[in-house]
Amino acid sequence: MAEITAALVKELRETTGAGMMDCKKALTEANGDKEAAIDWLRKKGLAAAAKKSGRVAAEGLVGVASAANKAAIVEVNAETDFVARNETFQDFVARVAQIALDVGDDIEAISAAPFADGRTVAEQLTHMVATIGENMTIRRAKVLTVKQGVVASYMHQALKPGLGKIGVLAAIEGPDELATLETLGRQVGMHVAATRPDALDVDAVDPAALERERAVLSEQARASGKPEAIIEKMVEGRIRKYYEEVVLLEQVWVHDGESRVRAVVKKAGVSLTGFVRFQLGEGIEKPKDDFAAEVAATAGV
């Protein structure tokens, strides 16, 4: 029996894109012959993952997991919405969220964490790519914690508890009973899902984004032909309006259409210390299908 070294397993994995355990088994079956191991993987349908890795994956699911004083949110992508309804994929997303809760939101740490059957998360993902037949990626993750309070979660368009298309975490610090904080946190989550704020407070606004906005507003104000002193006041007034659009604490509370979020939080006697909003596929450029070209290519035209 030939020696199956870690280096040989790694080399086969890089060549085929198959999981580590699958590569080791293939080499064992092939008595250490790499080419025969590749054929074994191909016959099992496990060498296909690498070929799929370049395809755009913008569908999938957002998943959340919670524990005392913290919660995690992850986005796992696939190529089609059909996969999101696959129970194996749903179970994977739910377990990845739970793993993120344990190891943190670093994608490399999540990928290297044990999953099941001797596979890591990354190896399980590769196995799923090969067996389900679509490219899949763990795109992002975030964990929020509080010292005293809750990290509440809200899932919009949920397929099942903790899995859906838009997920929100809201960190609420306060001495109230957890049920009270959870209720407020869920209301904040619903608000964030609807209004898509960029920052928690004014100080957290991206300086580069603020400067771009200020430059645009200044140019618009100068077009009025008014004196510079008036222009400055016009710009500052519009910046305040900008804050009301992008800063969570400055937004109008969607649940009553009147109060500011900061006033609602203050009245409750708690602190809103952080939030995260993941919308499935946001920011991913999806290719535009050209059906005519696809038909022509299939026909060999």
Side-chain angles (χ1 to χ4, degrees):
M1 175 69 71
E3 181 184 3
I4 310 301
T5 65
L8 186 58
V9 174
K10 182 174 182 291
E11 184 180 340
L12 181 61
R13 185 186 180 196
E14 291 174 349
T15 300
T16 63
M20 191 73 76
M21 297 305 297
D22 291 327
C23 288
K24 185 175 181 181
K25 185 174 181 181
L27 287 165
T28 300
E29 292 288 333
N31 197 26
D33 185 319
K34 181 182 173 184
E35 294 303 318
I38 291 173
D39 290 343
W40 187 91
L41 287 168
R42 290 181 63 196
K43 290 174 184 176
K44 298 291 184 181
L46 299 175
K51 294 181 180 179
K52 296 179 175 66
S53 63
R55 303 204 307 232
V56 175
E59 298 295 339
L61 286 170
V62 173
V64 298
S66 302
N69 295 60
K70 66 177 179 178
I73 183 168
V74 300
E75 180 184 350
V76 183
N77 297 126
E79 293 179 53
T80 66
D81 182 61
F82 178 78
V83 171
R85 303 181 184 280
N86 180 297
E87 290 189 4
T88 299
F89 182 79
Q90 292 177 358
D91 178 67
F92 178 78
V93 177
R95 293 180 67 180
V96 167
Q98 188 64 49
I99 288 168
L101 196 63
D102 295 332
V103 306
D105 46 30
D106 180 76
I107 297 299
E108 290 188 8
I110 294 170
S111 298
F115 187 85
D117 300 326
R119 295 190 181 110
T120 64
V121 171
E123 290 166 345
Q124 178 66 17
L125 184 64
T126 300
H127 176 74
M128 289 171 57
V129 170
T131 54
I132 293 178
E134 288 193 11
N135 185 30
M136 301 177 200
T137 59
I138 301 173
R139 184 187 182 199
R140 51 182 174 168
K142 186 67 178 179
V143 177
L144 292 185
T145 61
V146 293
K147 293 180 180 179
Q148 181 183 14
V150 300
V151 180
S153 64
Y154 170 72
M155 185 64 67
H156 187 62
Q157 295 179 316
L159 287 182
K160 60 173 56 176
L163 296 173
K165 303 292 187 180
I166 302 175
V168 179
L169 302 182
I172 308 288
E173 296 267 10
D176 288 349
E177 293 184 4
L178 294 184
T180 301
L181 297 177
E182 283 281 2
T183 298
L184 177 60
R186 179 174 172 79
Q187 290 176 334
V188 171
M190 294 173 69
H191 173 98
V192 169
T195 63
R196 306 179 64 169
D198 294 331
L200 174 64
D201 54 31
V202 170
D203 291 338
V205 174
D206 179 10
L210 180 58
E211 283 306 307
R212 286 196 302 271
E213 187 69 15
R214 191 180 294 277
V216 170
L217 294 176
S218 297
E219 194 67 30
Q220 290 175 345
R222 286 193 178 91
S224 68
K226 294 181 179 179
E228 198 65 28
I230 300 298
I231 289 174
E232 287 183 16
K233 291 181 180 180
M234 291 172 63
V235 170
E236 290 309 311
R238 292 175 183 177
I239 287 293
R240 286 195 294 272
K241 185 65 176 176
Y242 170 71
Y243 285 147
E244 291 170 5
E245 294 174 356
V246 303
V247 175
L248 174 54
L249 291 175
E250 302 301 319
Q251 289 180 334
V252 173
W253 187 233
V254 296
H255 299 285
D256 67 13
E258 298 177 0
S259 309
R260 298 290 174 187
V261 174
R262 54 181 158 77
V264 172
V265 171
K266 183 178 180 180
K267 183 178 180 180
V270 299
S271 298
L272 176 56
T273 59
F275 75 93
V276 182
R277 182 187 188 275
F278 280 3
Q279 180 168 339
L280 181 67
E282 63 184 345
I284 299 177
E285 185 174 350
K286 300 179 183 180
K288 295 181 180 179
D289 295 329
D290 187 337
F291 183 69
E294 185 178 332
V295 171
T298 303
V301 176

